[in-house]
Amino acid sequence: MKHLYLILVASSFTFIAWAQSPNTDKSLFRQLGSELPTPNTYRTASGAPGESYWQQRADYDIKVEVDDNTQRLIGKETITYTNNSPHVLSYVWVQLDQNVVDPESDTYKTKTNTMSERTSLTQLNAMIDNSFDGGFKLEYVRDVMGKDLKYTVNKTMMRVDLPTPLAAKGGKVVLNISWAYNINDRQNPALSADSRGGYEFFPEDGNYLYTLAQWYPRMAVYDDYNGWQHKQFLGQGEFTLPFGNFTVAITVPADHIVASTGVLQNGKEVLTAEQLKRFEASKSAVKPVVIVTQAEATEKEKTKATTKKTWIYKAENVRDFAFGTSRKYIWDAVGVKIDGSTQPLVMAMSYYPKEANPLYGQYSTEAVAHTLRVYSKHTIPYPYPVAISVEASNGMEYPMICFNYGRPEKDGTYSDRIKYGMLSVIFHEVGHNFFPMIVNSDERQWTWMDEGLNSFCQFLAEQEWQRDYPSGSGPAKSIVDYMKMDKSVQNPIMTNSESIIRFGDNAYGKPATALNILRETVMGRELFDFSFREYAKRWAFKHPTPSDLFRTMEDASGVDLDWFWRGWFFTTDHVDISLDNVTPFRMDTKNPDIEKPLAGKAVKEELEKDITYQNNKKDLPTTAVERNKDLEDFYNNYDPNAIVPSDKKAYDQYMTGLGEKEKAFLAKGLHFYQLDFSNKGGVLMPLIIQFNFEDGTKEVKRIPAEIFKLNDQKVSKVFALAKPVTSVELDPQEETADTDRENNFFPRKAVPSRFELFKQSGGGRWSGGSGMNPMQKAKAETKN
Ligand SMILES: [Zn+2]
């Protein structure tokens, strides 16, 4: 029976092993194979663009008017589209992003919601209100001769059929489009998150402040890995756009100030002599110069011009164009010198209503300039002539211009939360100039490629702004709460933008933290910074994919990071490495002076502990030998600890047999410790081990993650140390995002929960909770 049972167990085991593991490598160190696209002549295995790399181009000439009486935008554009691909195209796709707020939009239809017993009217409206008459009203789509072209609108996308196919490798087609749309209320919760732009109405003075975004029909991207990227715009997955040059004539009420992508061409026509003089002075100033003062802006709020002015802007090599306009704008500027930039001077500027002061006046332009300097150091020198921060009710980014929140109370006071939230959102949105405006990734597919990389650089900018800056993401421990959540609310970072649960944690916080861990813990600053800069250099003004980033970081550093990308970007595993055991070992010196007393003491201690020995001492008044002295001999009175001549002789012989190296090693008197680790979370990390010594000193040893190369679940390692150890701690600076700190200590030590930590520190700023700063929370909520 027994024999048969054993055979059964063995055979079923073999069967299971065969079924589950057909001899494939399951090691966490296996290279990323099928996860990445095969390298080709467009995108090489090194992560650089290949010899056949191509990209499309779209140049725009636009005339647009903002009607301040009806909150309506009316535009006409000429798109010159250049087909650099090796393919003939019989149609082209144009993005109609405003249709996201069309009453029939899929965005309304596909929003999920639930009722609760307490639902506010605002919440309810955000769920069910689709009454706003938004969306593009197209008047025509025509060719270069003014002849109507056949077009088909598919929600937020439009296919324009070409009468003659567009030639490959340099063929050009001209589209003339006329349109209008109703501008939405930027603060309407049912619309603001999806539309990004809109107006804000100020009932106190009856004026509007406009931020116009996705306001013109924009060419979709056609590329080597998507074909046409015409996945619908549903609200979360942002934009994918080709580069081109823009000339835009913006007509607004004559008393408005326009803030825009690009360089103003007709300052003499739209600015006063005084404003022009101040603007010129700002170029060489050391701190921001106010061009339109708060007093001047406040005075203008009282009347409304009936005449119009047209502001003409030109922008080169940009993927998009946005602007703001209002009579409420205060405007300040300063010229910034960026090392290595193609621009002799970059104008850092801010536009804001009086409601944003005193914060914006003091900080905004300085924060713009700071962002440009820090990002330029870590990526490429800022290549555009202008960088603008516009105050608006939520944050969003465009080339050379961004809209940021951060408004004090009505009495001008503000909390530290508002102040740091405002600074962070400016660093973040200005930083988007680099990712994705210059390093032009596909936002519709991958949110993390711009938001994650940008949040990482934002962290660098924050920490270079002030030493104790309360950063929301970046530090490893800021992502721990997210990564230990139930896996059902997590996706891998490599998830399409529309399907991401917990947007802020997944696409902002986690990739930013992963990059910071790479920089500080895995690669080191020198290798990381060189490689990250190389990625920015290679893909500036091009369209990178995740594999181009993954490959470049390895190519430029010589560090195999496949295990890191796999754990952090392709799974929802977390980091939890346990220090399971520490076993001390002592070396036998063979020196009788040391070893004999120790051995004797040990034997005696063992005997004293023995239960029979102890009980007999009580129960037996005498033993046989005690009763009869005749039973004694030499060994009954021999001291086993006494050192006899033969011991000395044996030791001398032993020492003579040793070489100089062995003797020197012995003389060190080292203490040996075997440490056993297990990988409980799934994501591997280097082992950072702190030994705390008896004398109160400590030493940190850093072991690369490759220690797990033969066994990614359990490893042991022996350390030889000069001093006796009292305790060992894993990851003492909390740099690996380890989710369970209790098993990081040997002997075990209770770790206060985060709630207790919060109480102990007397109520921190906003580093606790979800690990996001208010800006990221707002972003996550408004999905910008
Ligand atoms: Zn962002």
Side-chain angles (χ1 to χ4, degrees):
M1 274 303 283
K2 201 172 183 188
H3 187 65
L4 183 64
Y5 174 72
L6 276 175
I7 289 170
L8 267 176
V9 170
S11 69
S12 64
F13 177 77
T14 311
F15 174 73
I16 289 165
W18 174 81
Q20 289 186 340
S21 171
N23 295 327
T24 52
D25 181 6
K26 293 273 191 293
S27 160
L28 297 177
F29 277 98
R30 72 192 185 278
Q31 297 293 288
L32 289 171
S34 57
E35 293 88 346
L36 301 184
T38 308
N40 52 41
T41 56
Y42 309 122
R43 289 161 202 278
T44 69
S46 72
E51 66 273 24
S52 313
Y53 178 84
W54 53 268
Q55 65 189 22
Q56 307 294 69
R57 178 180 180 87
D59 297 300
Y60 295 82
D61 195 325
I62 313 179
K63 290 178 178 52
V64 62
E65 179 172 349
V66 177
D67 187 333
D68 191 36
N69 296 317
T70 58
Q71 285 69 58
R72 194 170 165 83
L73 182 142
I74 307 110
K76 281 184 176 27
E77 71 180 345
T78 300
I79 306 174
T80 306
Y81 184 68
T82 308
N83 177 21
N84 292 320
S85 82
H87 316 131
V88 174
L89 301 175
S90 55
Y91 47 78
V92 295
W93 283 92
V94 178
Q95 310 188 63
L96 302 177
D97 311 85
Q98 282 299 323
N99 288 355
V100 77
V101 292
D102 182 283
E104 286 304 310
S105 159
D106 278 358
T107 305
Y108 292 125
K109 294 176 188 165
T110 59
K111 256 187 197 138
T112 56
N113 22 57
T114 49
M115 289 289 281
S116 68
E117 283 169 19
R118 289 170 55 83
T119 305
S120 73
L121 194 59
T122 313
Q123 288 168 324
L124 207 58
N125 278 339
M127 283 186 221
I128 58 161
D129 181 13
N130 67 340
S131 58
F132 176 67
D133 181 20
F136 280 117
K137 324 288 177 200
L138 292 171
E139 189 191 354
Y140 60 72
V141 179
R142 290 176 182 160
D143 70 5
V144 67
M145 307 301 291
K147 217 172 136 244
D148 281 336
L149 289 168
K150 183 172 179 293
Y151 64 89
T152 305
V153 175
N154 174 10
K155 300 171 185 125
T156 62
M157 291 285 167
M158 170 169 73
R159 192 189 69 234
V160 180
D161 299 338
L162 305 176
T164 28
L166 179 54
K169 297 184 177 177
K172 285 180 195 292
V173 65
V174 169
L175 305 179
N176 286 303
I177 304 177
S178 172
W179 78 94
Y181 70 82
N182 295 321
I183 301 169
N184 62 274
D185 179 350
R186 195 171 175 143
Q187 289 170 312
N188 178 342
L191 305 167
S192 61
D194 303 317
S195 68
R196 272 56 168 184
Y199 68 76
E200 180 180 356
F201 179 62
F202 292 76
E204 294 87 346
D205 54 68
N207 284 295
Y208 289 84
L209 193 154
Y210 300 89
T211 53
L212 284 317
Q214 290 78 249
W215 54 275
Y216 58 98
R218 309 186 295 176
M219 288 306 301
V221 163
Y222 181 77
D223 61 34
D224 59 283
Y225 59 95
N226 282 318
W228 285 104
Q229 172 50 294
H230 47 19
K231 196 169 160 42
Q232 292 289 333
F233 176 42
L234 291 173
Q236 200 162 263
E238 288 186 332
F239 311 112
T240 305
L241 299 149
F243 287 104
N245 294 344
F246 284 71
T247 302
V248 181
I250 303 164
T251 301
V252 293
D255 54 356
H256 270 214
I257 291 286
V258 173
S260 172
T261 299
V263 174
L264 180 62
Q265 303 295 306
N266 61 338
K268 289 205 174 79
E269 292 164 29
V270 293
L271 301 177
T272 65
E274 183 61 29
Q275 287 163 351
L276 269 174
K277 208 177 89 189
R278 291 170 184 167
F279 182 69
E280 282 306 313
S282 73
K283 291 179 181 172
S284 54
V286 289
K287 56 180 192 175
V289 169
V290 181
I291 297 159
V292 176
T293 67
Q294 181 161 334
E296 289 161 352
T298 310
E299 193 53 38
K300 277 200 291 181
E301 287 177 356
K302 295 171 187 163
T303 56
K304 288 182 174 55
T306 49
T307 54
K308 298 171 187 175
K309 272 183 182 172
T310 299
W311 300 57
I312 299 168
Y313 281 89
K314 275 183 191 287
E316 285 179 13
N317 222 3
V318 286
R319 55 167 247 169
D320 201 0
F321 193 103
F323 65 97
T325 179
S326 181
R327 64 177 60 84
K328 289 176 67 68
Y329 278 144
I330 301 162
W331 173 20
D332 68 46
V334 70
V336 184
K337 187 95 192 64
I338 298 292
D339 290 340
S341 175
T342 47
Q343 301 292 337
L345 205 60
V346 179
M347 292 310 294
M349 312 204 280
S350 299
Y351 298 76
Y352 42 94
K354 65 177 188 302
E355 286 77 6
N357 261 341
L359 268 178
Y360 268 68
Q362 184 178 0
Y363 287 119
S364 180
T365 297
E366 295 283 6
V368 173
H370 175 76
T371 310
L372 298 180
R373 289 192 189 100
V374 175
Y375 276 65
S376 293
K377 194 168 69 179
H378 287 282
T379 61
I380 60 159
Y382 186 66
Y384 291 134
V386 177
I388 295 169
S389 157
V390 177
E391 201 274 348
S393 52
N394 46 17
M396 189 57 199
E397 65 276 6
Y398 298 92
M400 305 188 216
I401 191 169
C402 54
F403 308 132
N404 312 310
Y405 76 80
R407 201 171 282 180
E409 303 293 324
K410 285 203 189 321
D411 65 2
T413 60
Y414 53 84
S415 63
D416 61 345
R417 188 187 164 93
I418 287 289
K419 174 194 163 178
Y420 289 110
M422 177 210 66
L423 283 172
S424 285
V425 82
I426 295 176
F427 299 150
H428 182 96
E429 308 301 353
V430 174
H432 269 305
N433 271 298
F434 296 83
F435 308 102
M437 303 307 157
I438 295 165
V439 179
N440 190 351
S441 57
D442 180 351
E443 296 178 88
R444 187 63 44 93
Q445 176 59 37
W446 307 114
T447 296
W448 70 269
M449 279 204 79
D450 68 300
E451 297 299 356
L453 271 59
N454 184 38
S455 297
F456 163 68
C457 293
Q458 174 198 337
F459 171 64
L460 299 178
E462 289 169 352
Q463 295 303 310
E464 218 171 297
W465 178 268
Q466 97 190 25
R467 287 197 192 281
D468 59 349
Y469 196 99
S471 291
S473 62
K477 62 181 169 186
S478 67
I479 204 64
V480 165
D481 284 349
Y482 169 63
M483 289 179 76
K484 69 183 178 194
M485 275 181 177
D486 189 285
K487 299 300 179 194
S488 68
V489 297
Q490 295 190 45
N491 315 95
I493 292 174
M494 287 292 286
T495 296
N496 174 264
S497 304
E498 289 298 339
S499 300
I500 296 170
I501 317 162
R502 298 191 65 89
F503 203 64
D505 288 324
N506 175 288
Y508 294 65
K510 188 177 169 186
T513 305
L515 290 171
N516 192 45
I517 290 174
L518 271 187
R519 181 170 189 253
E520 301 286 16
T521 304
V522 176
M523 300 170 77
R525 289 188 173 192
E526 198 181 330
L527 290 174
F528 178 91
D529 289 351
F530 178 85
S531 311
F532 192 70
R533 216 177 286 124
E534 182 67 16
Y535 167 71
K537 264 196 262 179
R538 285 178 174 183
W539 291 98
F541 298 108
K542 295 192 174 69
H543 301 282
T545 65
S547 55
D548 301 319
L549 171 70
F550 297 151
R551 287 170 170 151
T552 296
M553 292 301 288
E554 296 192 357
D555 187 64
S557 68
V559 181
D560 174 15
L561 297 171
D562 283 33
W563 62 272
F564 186 88
W565 306 131
R566 182 188 303 286
W568 278 87
F569 289 76
F570 288 86
T571 76
T572 56
D573 289 350
H574 56 275
V575 180
D576 179 15
I577 296 176
S578 163
L579 172 55
D580 294 331
N581 202 11
V582 176
T583 317
F585 286 89
R586 203 179 59 80
M587 191 162 44
D588 181 355
T589 63
K590 304 231 191 265
N591 183 347
D593 291 334
I594 298 169
E595 300 299 335
K596 264 211 142 171
L598 283 176
K601 193 174 161 229
V603 169
K604 194 158 180 266
E605 278 173 2
E606 282 296 302
L607 186 62
E608 302 273 346
K609 270 197 304 194
D610 185 81
I611 185 77
T612 309
Y613 177 83
Q614 287 179 358
N615 288 339
N616 281 354
K617 270 183 112 172
K618 284 181 258 164
D619 293 352
L620 303 177
T622 56
T623 63
V625 173
E626 284 160 4
R627 285 191 296 273
N628 182 358
K629 292 283 172 190
D630 289 347
L631 299 178
E632 284 188 1
D633 75 349
F634 167 79
Y635 288 105
N636 287 96
N637 294 301
Y638 162 68
D639 176 4
N641 296 332
I643 295 153
V644 294
S646 62
D647 293 332
K648 289 265 191 207
K649 201 175 159 198
Y651 179 57
D652 288 345
Q653 271 173 357
Y654 167 70
M655 289 301 282
T656 322
L658 291 180
E660 285 309 309
K661 270 190 190 165
E662 284 90 351
K663 278 183 194 158
F665 186 75
L666 262 186
K668 284 184 188 163
L670 293 173
H671 301 258
F672 296 88
Y673 298 91
Q674 177 183 316
L675 274 59
D676 303 325
F677 302 93
S678 59
N679 169 16
K680 295 192 180 307
V683 175
L684 297 173
M685 272 292 130
L687 300 176
I688 300 143
I689 306 156
Q690 178 175 300
F691 294 96
N692 300 314
F693 298 113
E694 246 173 43
D695 64 3
T697 59
K698 51 189 150 199
E699 182 182 354
V700 174
K701 304 255 189 206
R702 305 178 75 93
I703 309 292
E706 277 80 359
I707 191 173
F708 288 99
K709 62 191 179 296
L710 288 177
N711 183 338
D712 53 30
Q713 299 304 312
K714 272 183 184 306
V715 290
S716 298
K717 191 170 178 65
V718 172
F719 295 86
L721 302 163
K723 295 184 279 191
V725 168
T726 52
S727 63
V728 184
E729 182 180 351
L730 189 60
D731 190 16
Q733 288 179 278
E734 296 186 53
E735 55 187 294
T736 67
D738 197 314
T739 58
D740 181 0
R741 296 269 305 147
E742 287 207 6
N743 59 25
N744 286 22
F745 296 91
F746 199 93
R748 288 284 181 265
K749 186 170 136 183
V751 178
S753 73
R754 286 186 65 90
F755 177 65
E756 282 164 349
L757 275 175
F758 190 73
K759 276 202 301 197
Q760 281 164 10
S761 68
R765 286 197 266 235
W766 26 264
S767 53
S770 69
M772 289 163 73
N773 65 32
M775 184 275 306
Q776 288 172 318
K777 283 204 180 92
K779 292 282 285 190
E781 283 155 19
T782 62
K783 301 174 195 148
N784 289 347

